[in-house]
Amino acid sequence: MEPKSPTALDDFLFDLRGYIIIENAVDAGMLDDLNGAFDRFPSLSAGEWWGNAQRRDYTSETGFELHNCVEAGEPFERMIDHPGWIEYLRRYCGEHESYVQGLFLDECIASIRTSGGHHPVHSGGFRGALRGAYHYSNGVFRCGQCNILLALTDIGPGDGPTMVVPGSHKSNFPHPLAGNYAMGDRMDDLPGAVPAYLKKGDALLFVDGIMHGGSSRTNPGDRRILIYRYGPLWASTRFGYEYSQPLLDRLTPARRLILQPVPPARPPKG
Ligand SMILES: O=C(O)CCC(=O)C(=O)O
């Protein structure tokens, strides 16, 4: 696949709304490989490790969430610098044209949601963390964390689409009807929130500082997504996951650079 690059319209919409949808970001063969890998996940209880990946559900209602999924099989390694989106991330959150230009993969999650599940509303520009902040100045984007949410199943009405509040990455006020994360607010009827319907293979790209969450899944069956969170090369993983040496050793140089942009500096042995 030829690398997709952000167009002037993408830049305009990303700046205005805080998100864009990249249609057909991955092809059918890639989807089959990823869905096959999902089919082979063992059943894990919350907190259980599988190699260097761990089931760590964000809340008791989000469903199965396998963190550090880049360690869960080769198809997940191909996602690290996938041409469907990597140039977008380099531009939006890669400290473009600075002395620390480059990306770091901050978190990667394989998520399966069943009926009743949801991810509560969170983030927004008001007193938002610098980590996920939106910023553009002097002709360059300087965002913190930006997320790729890749649909592995079609996500339409009732399927639990991710919802976003367009423009809320720049908000100077708290949303008066959204409580806090701990209250477990559902996105479903939040004024201003819109669903991001996706066809399998489409990717939702959003700056983490936008108000967002996963609406309630009401349909039977599974919603399957991947979430890859990118940030500047000096970032670190949020929950302390480390990429294993065997993984780093087998990756292409370009992929390794995204998992370990700054190799450890140590004195020589001996
Ligand atoms: O599961 C979803 O649809 C949204 C996920 C989300 O809000 C997040 O990972 O920050």
Side-chain angles (χ1 to χ4, degrees):
M1 176 189 268
E2 279 297 301
K4 292 180 191 269
S5 293
T7 62
L9 181 61
D10 290 327
D11 285 355
F12 176 79
L13 292 175
F14 180 67
D15 174 72
L16 180 73
R17 308 186 309 196
Y19 74 98
I20 53 173
I21 291 174
I22 306 174
E23 293 179 352
N24 298 311
V26 304
D27 62 22
M30 189 71 250
L31 280 175
D32 286 349
D33 290 350
L34 289 167
N35 273 312
F38 270 58
D39 292 340
R40 290 188 293 278
F41 287 159
S43 87
L44 298 168
S45 49
E48 192 175 345
W49 287 83
W50 181 41
N52 197 27
Q54 185 189 28
R55 177 172 175 185
R56 182 191 190 118
D57 308 346
Y58 280 106
T59 76
S60 57
E61 292 174 315
T62 53
F64 177 101
E65 288 180 321
L66 186 68
H67 280 247
N68 226 21
C69 69
V70 71
E71 301 263 5
E74 189 276 334
F76 301 104
E77 298 172 16
R78 276 182 263 158
M79 298 296 96
I80 298 170
D81 62 345
H82 195 278
W85 55 74
I86 199 65
E87 292 310 320
Y88 286 75
L89 282 309
R90 289 193 207 288
R91 178 163 172 80
Y92 295 152
C93 63
E95 293 271 27
H96 191 53
E97 294 182 358
S98 79
Y99 78 103
V100 280
Q101 176 169 308
L103 286 173
F104 175 64
L105 184 66
D106 173 323
E107 259 180 77
C108 48
I109 304 123
S111 164
I112 304 174
R113 188 155 304 151
T114 53
S115 200
H118 79 111
H119 189 127
V121 56
H122 56 289
S123 282
F126 178 73
R127 296 186 186 165
L130 190 57
R131 183 187 186 93
Y134 175 84
H135 197 63
Y136 180 90
S137 65
N138 298 313
V140 285
F141 288 90
R142 284 281 180 268
C143 297
Q145 189 181 77
C146 290
N147 302 317
I148 285 290
L149 193 151
L150 176 69
L152 303 188
T153 50
D154 288 338
I155 305 176
D159 291 330
T162 303
M163 293 183 78
V164 292
V165 179
S168 59
H169 57 308
K170 298 180 185 174
S171 181
N172 292 312
F173 297 91
H175 194 303
L177 300 181
N180 60 43
Y181 193 84
M183 290 169 64
D185 285 324
R186 294 200 179 232
M187 287 291 308
D188 309 344
D189 299 316
L190 190 72
V194 298
Y197 295 129
L198 303 172
K199 291 278 176 214
K200 58 186 173 193
D202 293 350
L204 170 68
L205 188 167
F206 59 100
V207 63
D208 199 64
I210 193 173
M211 287 187 82
H212 65 281
S215 62
S216 303
R217 183 175 177 95
T218 51
N219 293 340
D222 289 343
R223 184 198 78 158
R224 290 181 172 189
I225 61 166
L226 283 181
I227 306 171
Y228 274 47
R229 307 188 193 280
Y230 297 83
L233 66 73
W234 42 263
S236 66
T237 62
R238 176 173 168 204
F239 295 118
Y241 293 112
E242 291 179 344
Y243 301 116
S244 67
Q245 199 58 47
L247 172 67
L248 294 172
D249 288 346
R250 70 174 173 264
L251 290 176
T252 64
R255 290 178 188 160
R256 182 174 175 143
L257 200 60
I258 295 175
L259 299 201
Q260 192 187 56
V262 187
R266 296 187 180 122
K269 286 199 174 123

